[in-house]
Amino acid sequence: MPDSLPLVTIITICRNASATLPRTLASVAAQTYPHIEYIVIDGASTDGTADLIRAHPAVTFWISEPDQG
């Protein structure tokens, strides 16, 4: 990976998104730019969203915790 390329950070914020998040994860994974970090912030989902995030190789960092809405 060339050091001259800037880092692009993609951030997804979600809660209970198990029905829609797979499409977003697939879209990020399909990007061809070589210098991407992908962060997912989940608002303590209860529908399996965290399991989807945890298992996806495109996700660089993720957290799932309650927030203040």
Short mmCIF file of all heavy atoms in Angstrom, two decimals:
data_model
loop_
_atom_site.label_atom_id
_atom_site.label_comp_id
_atom_site.label_asym_id
_atom_site.label_seq_id
_atom_site.Cartn_x
_atom_site.Cartn_y
_atom_site.Cartn_z
N MET A 1 0.85 -1.18 0.00
CA MET A 1 0.00 0.00 0.00
C MET A 1 0.89 1.24 0.00
O MET A 1 1.68 1.43 0.92
CB MET A 1 -0.89 -0.06 1.23
CG MET A 1 -1.81 1.09 1.38
SD MET A 1 -3.09 0.87 2.64
CE MET A 1 -2.62 -0.53 3.57
N PRO A 2 0.77 2.06 -1.00
CA PRO A 2 1.61 3.26 -1.07
C PRO A 2 1.32 4.22 0.08
O PRO A 2 0.18 4.52 0.39
CB PRO A 2 1.22 3.90 -2.40
CG PRO A 2 0.55 2.83 -3.18
CD PRO A 2 -0.04 1.89 -2.19
N ASP A 3 2.39 4.70 0.72
CA ASP A 3 2.23 5.63 1.83
C ASP A 3 1.74 7.00 1.37
O ASP A 3 1.27 7.79 2.18
CB ASP A 3 3.55 5.80 2.58
CG ASP A 3 3.90 4.56 3.36
OD1 ASP A 3 2.98 3.84 3.78
OD2 ASP A 3 5.10 4.31 3.55
N SER A 4 1.85 7.29 0.10
CA SER A 4 1.45 8.60 -0.40
C SER A 4 -0.07 8.75 -0.51
O SER A 4 -0.57 9.85 -0.66
CB SER A 4 2.08 8.87 -1.75
OG SER A 4 1.63 7.92 -2.70
N LEU A 5 -0.79 7.65 -0.42
CA LEU A 5 -2.25 7.73 -0.50
C LEU A 5 -2.83 8.11 0.85
O LEU A 5 -2.42 7.58 1.88
CB LEU A 5 -2.84 6.38 -0.93
CG LEU A 5 -2.54 5.93 -2.34
CD1 LEU A 5 -3.06 4.52 -2.56
CD2 LEU A 5 -3.14 6.88 -3.35
N PRO A 6 -3.79 9.02 0.86
CA PRO A 6 -4.41 9.38 2.13
C PRO A 6 -5.31 8.26 2.65
O PRO A 6 -5.86 7.47 1.88
CB PRO A 6 -5.24 10.62 1.79
CG PRO A 6 -5.49 10.54 0.33
CD PRO A 6 -4.32 9.79 -0.26
N LEU A 7 -5.42 8.20 3.95
CA LEU A 7 -6.32 7.26 4.59
C LEU A 7 -7.74 7.80 4.49
O LEU A 7 -8.00 8.96 4.78
CB LEU A 7 -5.95 7.09 6.07
CG LEU A 7 -6.86 6.21 6.89
CD1 LEU A 7 -6.81 4.77 6.41
CD2 LEU A 7 -6.47 6.30 8.38
N VAL A 8 -8.64 6.96 4.06
CA VAL A 8 -10.06 7.31 4.01
C VAL A 8 -10.76 6.52 5.12
O VAL A 8 -10.61 5.30 5.20
CB VAL A 8 -10.69 6.97 2.64
CG1 VAL A 8 -12.19 7.17 2.67
CG2 VAL A 8 -10.05 7.80 1.55
N THR A 9 -11.47 7.23 5.97
CA THR A 9 -12.21 6.60 7.05
C THR A 9 -13.69 6.63 6.72
O THR A 9 -14.24 7.68 6.42
CB THR A 9 -11.96 7.32 8.38
OG1 THR A 9 -10.56 7.32 8.66
CG2 THR A 9 -12.71 6.64 9.52
N ILE A 10 -14.31 5.47 6.78
CA ILE A 10 -15.75 5.35 6.59
C ILE A 10 -16.34 5.00 7.95
O ILE A 10 -15.87 4.07 8.60
CB ILE A 10 -16.09 4.27 5.56
CG1 ILE A 10 -15.45 4.61 4.21
CG2 ILE A 10 -17.60 4.11 5.43
CD1 ILE A 10 -15.51 3.49 3.20
N ILE A 11 -17.36 5.74 8.36
CA ILE A 11 -17.99 5.51 9.65
C ILE A 11 -19.47 5.24 9.44
O ILE A 11 -20.15 6.01 8.77
CB ILE A 11 -17.80 6.70 10.59
CG1 ILE A 11 -16.32 7.00 10.79
CG2 ILE A 11 -18.51 6.45 11.94
CD1 ILE A 11 -16.04 8.28 11.54
N THR A 12 -19.95 4.15 10.01
CA THR A 12 -21.37 3.83 9.98
C THR A 12 -21.87 3.84 11.42
O THR A 12 -21.27 3.22 12.30
CB THR A 12 -21.62 2.43 9.37
OG1 THR A 12 -21.16 2.44 8.01
CG2 THR A 12 -23.10 2.07 9.41
N ILE A 13 -22.95 4.55 11.65
CA ILE A 13 -23.59 4.59 12.95
C ILE A 13 -24.94 3.90 12.81
O ILE A 13 -25.70 4.20 11.88
CB ILE A 13 -23.76 6.04 13.42
CG1 ILE A 13 -22.39 6.71 13.52
CG2 ILE A 13 -24.51 6.09 14.75
CD1 ILE A 13 -22.43 8.19 13.73
N CYS A 14 -25.23 2.97 13.71
CA CYS A 14 -26.47 2.21 13.55
C CYS A 14 -27.00 1.73 14.90
O CYS A 14 -26.32 1.78 15.91
CB CYS A 14 -26.23 1.01 12.64
SG CYS A 14 -24.98 -0.15 13.26
N ARG A 15 -28.22 1.26 14.87
CA ARG A 15 -28.85 0.58 16.01
C ARG A 15 -29.94 -0.32 15.45
O ARG A 15 -30.79 0.14 14.68
CB ARG A 15 -29.44 1.57 17.00
CG ARG A 15 -30.03 0.84 18.22
CD ARG A 15 -30.35 1.77 19.36
NE ARG A 15 -30.69 1.03 20.54
CZ ARG A 15 -31.93 0.64 20.84
NH1 ARG A 15 -32.94 0.95 20.05
NH2 ARG A 15 -32.16 -0.05 21.93
N ASN A 16 -29.93 -1.57 15.85
CA ASN A 16 -30.91 -2.55 15.37
C ASN A 16 -31.03 -2.51 13.86
O ASN A 16 -32.12 -2.34 13.30
CB ASN A 16 -32.26 -2.35 16.06
CG ASN A 16 -32.20 -2.70 17.53
OD1 ASN A 16 -31.39 -3.51 17.95
ND2 ASN A 16 -33.06 -2.10 18.32
N ALA A 17 -29.90 -2.68 13.20
CA ALA A 17 -29.83 -2.56 11.74
C ALA A 17 -29.55 -3.89 11.05
O ALA A 17 -29.02 -3.90 9.93
CB ALA A 17 -28.77 -1.54 11.37
N SER A 18 -29.89 -5.00 11.67
CA SER A 18 -29.55 -6.29 11.07
C SER A 18 -30.19 -6.51 9.71
O SER A 18 -29.67 -7.26 8.89
CB SER A 18 -29.90 -7.44 12.02
OG SER A 18 -31.30 -7.52 12.21
N ALA A 19 -31.30 -5.84 9.44
CA ALA A 19 -31.97 -6.00 8.14
C ALA A 19 -31.30 -5.17 7.04
O ALA A 19 -31.36 -5.54 5.87
CB ALA A 19 -33.43 -5.61 8.25
N THR A 20 -30.64 -4.08 7.40
CA THR A 20 -30.08 -3.18 6.39
C THR A 20 -28.56 -3.12 6.39
O THR A 20 -27.96 -2.76 5.38
CB THR A 20 -30.64 -1.76 6.58
OG1 THR A 20 -30.35 -1.32 7.91
CG2 THR A 20 -32.14 -1.73 6.35
N LEU A 21 -27.93 -3.44 7.50
CA LEU A 21 -26.48 -3.33 7.60
C LEU A 21 -25.71 -4.24 6.63
O LEU A 21 -24.66 -3.81 6.13
CB LEU A 21 -26.03 -3.58 9.04
CG LEU A 21 -24.56 -3.32 9.32
CD1 LEU A 21 -24.18 -1.87 9.04
CD2 LEU A 21 -24.23 -3.70 10.76
N PRO A 22 -26.17 -5.44 6.34
CA PRO A 22 -25.40 -6.28 5.40
C PRO A 22 -25.13 -5.60 4.06
O PRO A 22 -24.05 -5.75 3.48
CB PRO A 22 -26.27 -7.52 5.24
CG PRO A 22 -26.97 -7.64 6.55
CD PRO A 22 -27.29 -6.20 6.92
N ARG A 23 -26.06 -4.84 3.57
CA ARG A 23 -25.85 -4.13 2.29
C ARG A 23 -24.74 -3.08 2.43
O ARG A 23 -23.90 -2.92 1.55
CB ARG A 23 -27.15 -3.48 1.84
CG ARG A 23 -27.04 -2.81 0.51
CD ARG A 23 -28.38 -2.32 0.03
NE ARG A 23 -28.21 -1.61 -1.22
CZ ARG A 23 -29.02 -0.66 -1.63
NH1 ARG A 23 -30.07 -0.33 -0.94
NH2 ARG A 23 -28.79 -0.06 -2.76
N THR A 24 -24.73 -2.38 3.55
CA THR A 24 -23.69 -1.38 3.80
C THR A 24 -22.33 -2.05 3.94
O THR A 24 -21.33 -1.59 3.36
CB THR A 24 -24.02 -0.58 5.07
OG1 THR A 24 -25.30 0.03 4.90
CG2 THR A 24 -22.97 0.49 5.33
N LEU A 25 -22.27 -3.13 4.70
CA LEU A 25 -21.01 -3.85 4.87
C LEU A 25 -20.47 -4.35 3.53
O LEU A 25 -19.27 -4.23 3.25
CB LEU A 25 -21.20 -5.03 5.83
CG LEU A 25 -21.53 -4.68 7.28
CD1 LEU A 25 -21.96 -5.93 8.04
CD2 LEU A 25 -20.36 -4.00 7.96
N ALA A 26 -21.35 -4.87 2.70
CA ALA A 26 -20.94 -5.36 1.39
C ALA A 26 -20.43 -4.22 0.51
O ALA A 26 -19.46 -4.38 -0.25
CB ALA A 26 -22.09 -6.09 0.71
N SER A 27 -21.08 -3.08 0.60
CA SER A 27 -20.67 -1.93 -0.20
C SER A 27 -19.27 -1.46 0.19
O SER A 27 -18.43 -1.18 -0.67
CB SER A 27 -21.67 -0.79 -0.03
OG SER A 27 -21.24 0.35 -0.73
N VAL A 28 -19.01 -1.39 1.48
CA VAL A 28 -17.68 -0.97 1.93
C VAL A 28 -16.64 -2.01 1.51
O VAL A 28 -15.56 -1.67 1.03
CB VAL A 28 -17.66 -0.75 3.45
CG1 VAL A 28 -16.25 -0.50 3.95
CG2 VAL A 28 -18.57 0.42 3.83
N ALA A 29 -16.95 -3.28 1.67
CA ALA A 29 -16.02 -4.34 1.30
C ALA A 29 -15.71 -4.33 -0.19
O ALA A 29 -14.62 -4.75 -0.60
CB ALA A 29 -16.58 -5.70 1.71
N ALA A 30 -16.61 -3.84 -1.01
CA ALA A 30 -16.41 -3.84 -2.46
C ALA A 30 -15.56 -2.67 -2.96
O ALA A 30 -15.21 -2.63 -4.14
CB ALA A 30 -17.77 -3.81 -3.15
N GLN A 31 -15.22 -1.75 -2.09
CA GLN A 31 -14.41 -0.61 -2.51
C GLN A 31 -13.02 -1.08 -2.92
O GLN A 31 -12.45 -1.99 -2.31
CB GLN A 31 -14.31 0.43 -1.38
CG GLN A 31 -15.65 0.98 -0.95
CD GLN A 31 -16.46 1.54 -2.10
OE1 GLN A 31 -15.98 2.39 -2.85
NE2 GLN A 31 -17.68 1.05 -2.24
N THR A 32 -12.47 -0.46 -3.93
CA THR A 32 -11.16 -0.87 -4.43
C THR A 32 -10.02 0.03 -3.98
O THR A 32 -8.86 -0.30 -4.20
CB THR A 32 -11.17 -0.94 -5.97
OG1 THR A 32 -11.51 0.35 -6.50
CG2 THR A 32 -12.17 -1.99 -6.45
N TYR A 33 -10.34 1.15 -3.37
CA TYR A 33 -9.30 2.03 -2.85
C TYR A 33 -8.53 1.27 -1.77
O TYR A 33 -9.12 0.68 -0.88
CB TYR A 33 -9.93 3.31 -2.29
CG TYR A 33 -8.92 4.33 -1.83
CD1 TYR A 33 -8.24 5.11 -2.75
CD2 TYR A 33 -8.66 4.50 -0.48
CE1 TYR A 33 -7.31 6.05 -2.33
CE2 TYR A 33 -7.74 5.44 -0.05
CZ TYR A 33 -7.07 6.21 -0.97
OH TYR A 33 -6.15 7.13 -0.56
N PRO A 34 -7.20 1.30 -1.81
CA PRO A 34 -6.43 0.41 -0.93
C PRO A 34 -6.19 0.90 0.50
O PRO A 34 -5.66 0.16 1.31
CB PRO A 34 -5.09 0.30 -1.66
CG PRO A 34 -4.95 1.61 -2.36
CD PRO A 34 -6.35 1.97 -2.80
N HIS A 35 -6.57 2.11 0.82
CA HIS A 35 -6.20 2.67 2.13
C HIS A 35 -7.45 3.14 2.87
O HIS A 35 -7.67 4.33 3.07
CB HIS A 35 -5.21 3.82 1.91
CG HIS A 35 -4.32 4.09 3.06
ND1 HIS A 35 -3.31 3.24 3.46
CD2 HIS A 35 -4.27 5.12 3.93
CE1 HIS A 35 -2.68 3.75 4.50
NE2 HIS A 35 -3.25 4.89 4.80
N ILE A 36 -8.28 2.17 3.28
CA ILE A 36 -9.56 2.46 3.94
C ILE A 36 -9.55 1.86 5.34
O ILE A 36 -9.10 0.74 5.55
CB ILE A 36 -10.74 1.86 3.16
CG1 ILE A 36 -10.91 2.58 1.82
CG2 ILE A 36 -12.05 1.96 3.96
CD1 ILE A 36 -11.99 1.98 0.94
N GLU A 37 -10.06 2.64 6.29
CA GLU A 37 -10.39 2.07 7.59
C GLU A 37 -11.91 2.22 7.74
O GLU A 37 -12.49 3.21 7.31
CB GLU A 37 -9.64 2.74 8.74
CG GLU A 37 -10.08 4.13 9.08
CD GLU A 37 -9.37 4.70 10.30
OE1 GLU A 37 -8.72 3.97 11.05
OE2 GLU A 37 -9.47 5.92 10.47
N TYR A 38 -12.53 1.21 8.33
CA TYR A 38 -13.98 1.19 8.44
C TYR A 38 -14.36 1.03 9.91
O TYR A 38 -14.03 0.03 10.54
CB TYR A 38 -14.57 0.07 7.60
CG TYR A 38 -16.08 0.03 7.59
CD1 TYR A 38 -16.84 1.18 7.66
CD2 TYR A 38 -16.74 -1.18 7.50
CE1 TYR A 38 -18.22 1.14 7.65
CE2 TYR A 38 -18.12 -1.24 7.48
CZ TYR A 38 -18.86 -0.08 7.55
OH TYR A 38 -20.23 -0.12 7.55
N ILE A 39 -15.05 2.03 10.43
CA ILE A 39 -15.47 2.07 11.83
C ILE A 39 -16.98 1.98 11.88
O ILE A 39 -17.68 2.69 11.16
CB ILE A 39 -14.99 3.38 12.49
CG1 ILE A 39 -13.46 3.47 12.43
CG2 ILE A 39 -15.51 3.49 13.92
CD1 ILE A 39 -12.90 4.81 12.84
N VAL A 40 -17.48 1.11 12.76
CA VAL A 40 -18.93 0.98 12.95
C VAL A 40 -19.23 1.26 14.42
O VAL A 40 -18.65 0.64 15.32
CB VAL A 40 -19.45 -0.42 12.56
CG1 VAL A 40 -20.96 -0.48 12.74
CG2 VAL A 40 -19.07 -0.74 11.11
N ILE A 41 -20.14 2.18 14.65
CA ILE A 41 -20.60 2.54 15.99
C ILE A 41 -22.04 2.07 16.12
O ILE A 41 -22.92 2.53 15.39
CB ILE A 41 -20.53 4.07 16.22
CG1 ILE A 41 -19.16 4.64 15.86
CG2 ILE A 41 -20.94 4.41 17.65
CD1 ILE A 41 -18.01 4.10 16.67
N ASP A 42 -22.26 1.15 17.02
CA ASP A 42 -23.59 0.57 17.22
C ASP A 42 -24.14 1.00 18.57
O ASP A 42 -23.43 0.98 19.56
CB ASP A 42 -23.49 -0.96 17.14
CG ASP A 42 -24.79 -1.63 17.49
OD1 ASP A 42 -25.82 -1.30 16.86
OD2 ASP A 42 -24.80 -2.48 18.40
N GLY A 43 -25.39 1.38 18.59
CA GLY A 43 -26.04 1.85 19.81
C GLY A 43 -26.65 0.74 20.63
O GLY A 43 -27.82 0.81 20.98
N ALA A 44 -25.90 -0.30 20.94
CA ALA A 44 -26.35 -1.42 21.77
C ALA A 44 -27.55 -2.14 21.17
O ALA A 44 -28.56 -2.36 21.82
CB ALA A 44 -26.64 -0.96 23.19
N SER A 45 -27.41 -2.53 19.93
CA SER A 45 -28.49 -3.24 19.24
C SER A 45 -28.85 -4.54 19.96
O SER A 45 -28.01 -5.17 20.59
CB SER A 45 -28.07 -3.56 17.80
OG SER A 45 -27.95 -2.39 17.05
N THR A 46 -30.10 -4.93 19.78
CA THR A 46 -30.59 -6.17 20.38
C THR A 46 -31.08 -7.16 19.33
O THR A 46 -31.71 -8.16 19.67
CB THR A 46 -31.73 -5.86 21.36
OG1 THR A 46 -32.78 -5.19 20.65
CG2 THR A 46 -31.27 -5.01 22.52
N ASP A 47 -30.79 -6.89 18.07
CA ASP A 47 -31.33 -7.72 16.98
C ASP A 47 -30.28 -8.51 16.22
O ASP A 47 -30.53 -8.99 15.13
CB ASP A 47 -32.10 -6.84 16.00
CG ASP A 47 -31.21 -5.90 15.22
OD1 ASP A 47 -30.04 -5.70 15.64
OD2 ASP A 47 -31.65 -5.38 14.19
N GLY A 48 -29.08 -8.65 16.75
CA GLY A 48 -28.03 -9.38 16.06
C GLY A 48 -27.09 -8.52 15.24
O GLY A 48 -26.19 -9.03 14.59
N THR A 49 -27.29 -7.21 15.28
CA THR A 49 -26.42 -6.31 14.53
C THR A 49 -24.96 -6.47 14.95
O THR A 49 -24.07 -6.53 14.10
CB THR A 49 -26.87 -4.85 14.72
OG1 THR A 49 -28.18 -4.70 14.17
CG2 THR A 49 -25.94 -3.87 14.06
N ALA A 50 -24.71 -6.55 16.24
CA ALA A 50 -23.33 -6.68 16.72
C ALA A 50 -22.67 -7.94 16.19
O ALA A 50 -21.48 -7.95 15.87
CB ALA A 50 -23.29 -6.66 18.24
N ASP A 51 -23.42 -9.01 16.05
CA ASP A 51 -22.87 -10.25 15.49
C ASP A 51 -22.45 -10.06 14.04
O ASP A 51 -21.42 -10.57 13.61
CB ASP A 51 -23.88 -11.39 15.60
CG ASP A 51 -24.18 -11.77 17.04
OD1 ASP A 51 -23.29 -11.62 17.90
OD2 ASP A 51 -25.31 -12.21 17.30
N LEU A 52 -23.24 -9.34 13.28
CA LEU A 52 -22.90 -9.05 11.88
C LEU A 52 -21.62 -8.24 11.79
O LEU A 52 -20.74 -8.51 10.98
CB LEU A 52 -24.03 -8.29 11.19
CG LEU A 52 -25.33 -9.03 10.94
CD1 LEU A 52 -26.40 -8.07 10.46
CD2 LEU A 52 -25.11 -10.13 9.93
N ILE A 53 -21.53 -7.22 12.64
CA ILE A 53 -20.35 -6.35 12.64
C ILE A 53 -19.11 -7.16 13.03
O ILE A 53 -18.07 -7.08 12.37
CB ILE A 53 -20.54 -5.18 13.61
CG1 ILE A 53 -21.73 -4.31 13.19
CG2 ILE A 53 -19.27 -4.34 13.71
CD1 ILE A 53 -22.21 -3.34 14.26
N ARG A 54 -19.21 -7.91 14.09
CA ARG A 54 -18.09 -8.69 14.62
C ARG A 54 -17.53 -9.65 13.57
O ARG A 54 -16.32 -9.85 13.48
CB ARG A 54 -18.56 -9.48 15.84
CG ARG A 54 -17.48 -10.28 16.52
CD ARG A 54 -18.02 -11.07 17.72
NE ARG A 54 -18.58 -10.20 18.74
CZ ARG A 54 -19.89 -10.13 19.04
NH1 ARG A 54 -20.77 -10.88 18.42
NH2 ARG A 54 -20.32 -9.31 19.98
N ALA A 55 -18.40 -10.22 12.77
CA ALA A 55 -17.98 -11.24 11.81
C ALA A 55 -17.49 -10.69 10.48
O ALA A 55 -16.96 -11.45 9.66
CB ALA A 55 -19.16 -12.19 11.55
N HIS A 56 -17.64 -9.40 10.24
CA HIS A 56 -17.31 -8.88 8.91
C HIS A 56 -15.86 -8.44 8.81
O HIS A 56 -15.40 -7.60 9.58
CB HIS A 56 -18.24 -7.73 8.54
CG HIS A 56 -18.35 -7.60 7.06
ND1 HIS A 56 -17.39 -7.00 6.30
CD2 HIS A 56 -19.29 -8.04 6.21
CE1 HIS A 56 -17.75 -7.06 5.04
NE2 HIS A 56 -18.90 -7.69 4.95
N PRO A 57 -15.12 -8.96 7.85
CA PRO A 57 -13.69 -8.64 7.73
C PRO A 57 -13.38 -7.20 7.29
O PRO A 57 -12.26 -6.74 7.51
CB PRO A 57 -13.18 -9.64 6.69
CG PRO A 57 -14.38 -10.04 5.91
CD PRO A 57 -15.55 -9.95 6.86
N ALA A 58 -14.34 -6.51 6.72
CA ALA A 58 -14.08 -5.13 6.29
C ALA A 58 -14.03 -4.15 7.46
O ALA A 58 -13.50 -3.05 7.33
CB ALA A 58 -15.14 -4.67 5.28
N VAL A 59 -14.56 -4.53 8.60
CA VAL A 59 -14.64 -3.63 9.75
C VAL A 59 -13.29 -3.59 10.46
O VAL A 59 -12.79 -4.60 10.93
CB VAL A 59 -15.75 -4.08 10.72
CG1 VAL A 59 -15.78 -3.17 11.94
CG2 VAL A 59 -17.11 -4.08 10.02
N THR A 60 -12.72 -2.40 10.53
CA THR A 60 -11.43 -2.18 11.18
C THR A 60 -11.59 -2.05 12.70
O THR A 60 -10.80 -2.57 13.47
CB THR A 60 -10.77 -0.90 10.64
OG1 THR A 60 -10.72 -0.96 9.22
CG2 THR A 60 -9.39 -0.71 11.20
N PHE A 61 -12.62 -1.33 13.11
CA PHE A 61 -12.89 -1.09 14.53
C PHE A 61 -14.38 -0.96 14.70
O PHE A 61 -15.06 -0.39 13.86
CB PHE A 61 -12.20 0.20 14.99
CG PHE A 61 -12.55 0.57 16.41
CD1 PHE A 61 -11.90 -0.01 17.48
CD2 PHE A 61 -13.55 1.50 16.67
CE1 PHE A 61 -12.23 0.33 18.79
CE2 PHE A 61 -13.89 1.83 17.97
CZ PHE A 61 -13.23 1.24 19.03
N TRP A 62 -14.90 -1.49 15.82
CA TRP A 62 -16.32 -1.31 16.10
C TRP A 62 -16.53 -1.29 17.60
O TRP A 62 -15.72 -1.77 18.38
CB TRP A 62 -17.16 -2.40 15.45
CG TRP A 62 -17.00 -3.77 16.04
CD1 TRP A 62 -15.99 -4.66 15.76
CD2 TRP A 62 -17.83 -4.39 17.01
NE1 TRP A 62 -16.17 -5.81 16.50
CE2 TRP A 62 -17.28 -5.66 17.28
CE3 TRP A 62 -18.99 -4.02 17.68
CZ2 TRP A 62 -17.86 -6.54 18.18
CZ3 TRP A 62 -19.56 -4.90 18.57
CH2 TRP A 62 -19.01 -6.15 18.81
N ILE A 63 -17.65 -0.69 17.97
CA ILE A 63 -18.05 -0.64 19.36
C ILE A 63 -19.57 -0.73 19.40
O ILE A 63 -20.25 -0.23 18.51
CB ILE A 63 -17.53 0.64 20.06
CG1 ILE A 63 -17.76 0.56 21.57
CG2 ILE A 63 -18.14 1.88 19.46
CD1 ILE A 63 -17.00 1.62 22.35
N SER A 64 -20.07 -1.39 20.43
CA SER A 64 -21.51 -1.48 20.62
C SER A 64 -21.78 -1.17 22.08
O SER A 64 -21.39 -1.91 22.97
CB SER A 64 -22.02 -2.89 20.28
OG SER A 64 -23.41 -2.95 20.47
N GLU A 65 -22.41 -0.04 22.31
CA GLU A 65 -22.73 0.38 23.66
C GLU A 65 -23.91 1.34 23.63
O GLU A 65 -24.17 1.99 22.61
CB GLU A 65 -21.53 1.04 24.33
CG GLU A 65 -21.08 2.32 23.66
CD GLU A 65 -19.81 2.89 24.27
OE1 GLU A 65 -19.13 2.18 25.05
OE2 GLU A 65 -19.50 4.06 23.98
N PRO A 66 -24.63 1.43 24.75
CA PRO A 66 -25.75 2.35 24.79
C PRO A 66 -25.25 3.80 24.67
O PRO A 66 -24.14 4.11 25.09
CB PRO A 66 -26.38 2.13 26.17
CG PRO A 66 -25.63 1.04 26.83
CD PRO A 66 -24.46 0.68 25.98
N ASP A 67 -26.08 4.62 24.07
CA ASP A 67 -25.74 6.04 23.99
C ASP A 67 -26.94 6.84 24.48
O ASP A 67 -27.89 6.28 25.00
CB ASP A 67 -25.33 6.42 22.56
CG ASP A 67 -26.39 6.12 21.53
OD1 ASP A 67 -27.59 6.15 21.87
OD2 ASP A 67 -26.02 5.87 20.38
N GLN A 68 -26.90 8.11 24.28
CA GLN A 68 -27.96 8.96 24.78
C GLN A 68 -28.97 9.34 23.71
O GLN A 68 -29.70 10.29 23.85
CB GLN A 68 -27.35 10.19 25.42
CG GLN A 68 -26.36 9.79 26.48
CD GLN A 68 -26.34 10.69 27.67
OE1 GLN A 68 -27.04 11.68 27.74
NE2 GLN A 68 -25.55 10.32 28.64
N GLY A 69 -28.95 8.54 22.61
CA GLY A 69 -29.93 8.69 21.55
C GLY A 69 -29.81 9.94 20.78
O GLY A 69 -30.62 10.42 20.10
#
